[in-house]
Amino acid sequence: MDTKEAVLDILNELTGEDLSDQMDDNLFDSGLLDSMATIQMLLELQEKTGITAPVSEFNRDEWSTPNKIIEKVESLRNE
């Protein structure tokens, strides 16, 4: 499973929305992600992609859109 597919699958599970046509929409501003959903998202991403993304280092601006989440996951995979 590639990063984009994994991220969109997780976001779909969490939000109940197909976000493939909303890749640059802010998920926090739209109310699709809140603090609990964010923690769930990070845990799922760690499990499905093997990244390490501590909640203590979470910067909401870096994770606010599907495209930014994909970019962040890919950068963490390359560390």
Side-chain angles (χ1 to χ4, degrees), residues 34-79:
D34 59 14
S35 56
M36 280 302 285
T38 299
I39 292 169
Q40 283 183 277
M41 177 187 71
L42 292 174
L43 292 172
E44 288 286 325
L45 285 170
Q46 290 179 101
E47 183 179 313
K48 290 188 178 182
T49 67
I51 65 164
T52 300
V55 174
S56 60
E57 296 176 19
F58 181 81
N59 179 336
R60 191 170 164 159
D61 291 334
E62 295 176 352
W63 298 81
S64 60
T65 71
N67 275 330
K68 286 183 178 181
I69 295 168
I70 293 165
E71 182 180 319
K72 188 68 176 174
V73 169
E74 288 177 344
S75 74
L76 290 169
R77 277 182 152 174
N78 295 326
E79 285 186 352

Side-chain angles (χ1 to χ4, degrees), residues 6-35:
V7 168
L8 288 175
D9 283 351
I10 291 166
L11 290 174
N12 183 281
E13 289 175 24
L14 291 173
T15 66
E17 304 265 336
D18 176 6
L19 300 172
S20 59
D21 61 346
Q22 302 171 49
M23 298 299 288
D24 292 311
D25 289 0
N26 189 306
L27 302 173
F28 298 104
D29 290 347
S30 66
L32 291 173
L33 282 184
D34 59 14
S35 56

